[in-house]
Amino acid sequence: MLAVVVAGSWSAGALSPEPAPAVPVVPAPARPDPPVVPVPSAALTTAEGWARAVVGPRDRDWWLAGLRPLTTAEFLSLLATEADERAAPRGVTGPAVPVSGANGSADVDAPTDRGAVRVQLADVGGTWLVAGADPAGAS
């Protein structure tokens, strides 16, 4: 679960009855967007294979064994302790769709019979592995 905390700060004079002096607003110079990195085909292949393994057999040990070669150790550990394989989708309904890429990471949507799953991938020593997945995160 990802939590976002937004913190505010009091400006000088925020609690005084006198208005703070006007400060001219100077627009910041425009920054170019970071370059878009295409999602490598190996990452798409891993995402598709992982999606097929997720919808596989419902025996827990068999299910985890199918995910093991495509998943980081950390995420597999989380799946082993917190996931209910019976709640997983039953079928893949199309090819994986690239969402975003960066050096060494990628996000891919894997369409299933229960909606798309946003799959987060990481390049681990030259091999693309699933490092997270969020059924609600896909658009």
Side-chain angles (χ1 to χ4, degrees):
M1 178 181 291
L2 175 65
V4 177
V5 178
V6 178
S9 63
W10 289 99
S11 62
L15 298 177
S16 69
E18 296 178 23
V23 177
V25 176
V26 178
R31 294 184 188 175
D33 290 333
V36 176
V37 177
V39 174
S41 61
L44 288 171
T45 299
T46 297
E48 289 176 353
W50 190 86
R52 283 190 302 276
V54 162
V55 302
R58 295 294 169 238
D59 174 76
R60 184 160 192 78
D61 292 334
W62 187 265
W63 185 69
L64 290 169
L67 295 174
R68 184 169 286 112
L70 302 168
T71 310
T72 64
E74 297 83 9
F75 188 47
L76 188 66
S77 176
L78 182 69
L79 290 171
T81 58
E82 296 185 17
D84 181 2
E85 71 281 0
R86 296 167 298 177
R90 299 289 184 198
V92 175
T93 60
V97 178
V99 175
S100 64
N103 291 328
S105 67
D107 285 349
V108 173
D109 283 350
T112 73
D113 63 331
R114 294 191 179 164
V117 175
R118 175 73 42 92
V119 180
Q120 297 91 33
L121 297 115
D123 182 347
V124 180
T127 301
W128 285 95
L129 298 174
V130 175
D134 183 4
S139 52

